[in-house]
Amino acid sequence: MALKINDENAKELIASGKPVVIDFWAEWCGPCRAIAPSVDELAEEYEGKVIIGNVDDDADLSAEYSIRNIPTLLFFKEGKLVDKHVGSASKADLEAKIKALL
């Protein structure tokens, strides 16, 4: 299951040195619900190697990263934003981006 990420814990997680994937989503968003199972599965498969979590309704974090559309996934390596994906994606596509972080 993906970790709940919010304005309070995001900076600490990103600064942890581990790769981080943040999924900006909303329950009412069809494409968000479509990729949610893949995000949860990847969070379990990469537990301990990559921090994978989601953000729902945290305005400060969304504004900081200029999130205009959902789902948007941000990929961090060594505390720096290195990749971004907007819209729906297959599990394989997301996993390829995660593997690139390792």
Side-chain angles (χ1 to χ4, degrees):
M1 185 77 142
L3 176 69
K4 175 69 173 153
I5 297 177
N6 54 42
D7 293 335
E8 289 77 39
N9 68 0
K11 289 190 186 322
E12 181 180 322
L13 293 170
I14 292 168
S16 72
K18 281 191 174 183
V20 178
V21 179
I22 302 177
D23 176 17
F24 290 83
W25 78 294
E27 182 66 36
W28 51 263
C29 167
C32 299
R33 286 194 321 268
I35 68 167
S38 295
V39 171
D40 285 340
E41 288 171 15
L42 290 165
E44 287 180 26
E45 291 170 21
Y46 286 89
E47 186 174 355
K49 298 177 188 166
V50 179
I51 298 168
I52 300 176
N54 53 45
V55 172
D56 181 15
D57 202 27
D58 280 9
D60 291 343
L61 198 56
S62 296
E64 181 177 346
Y65 291 103
S66 302
I67 304 302
R68 306 251 186 270
N69 299 297
I70 54 174
T72 294
L73 288 94
L74 302 181
F75 299 82
F76 296 86
K77 183 175 184 173
E78 298 173 1
K80 297 186 184 347
L81 180 64
V82 295
D83 201 357
K84 177 179 183 177
H85 180 87
V86 179
S88 192
S90 70
K91 181 179 176 184
D93 288 342
L94 296 177
E95 187 167 22
K97 290 179 176 282
I98 291 169
K99 285 181 178 180
L101 298 175
L102 298 173

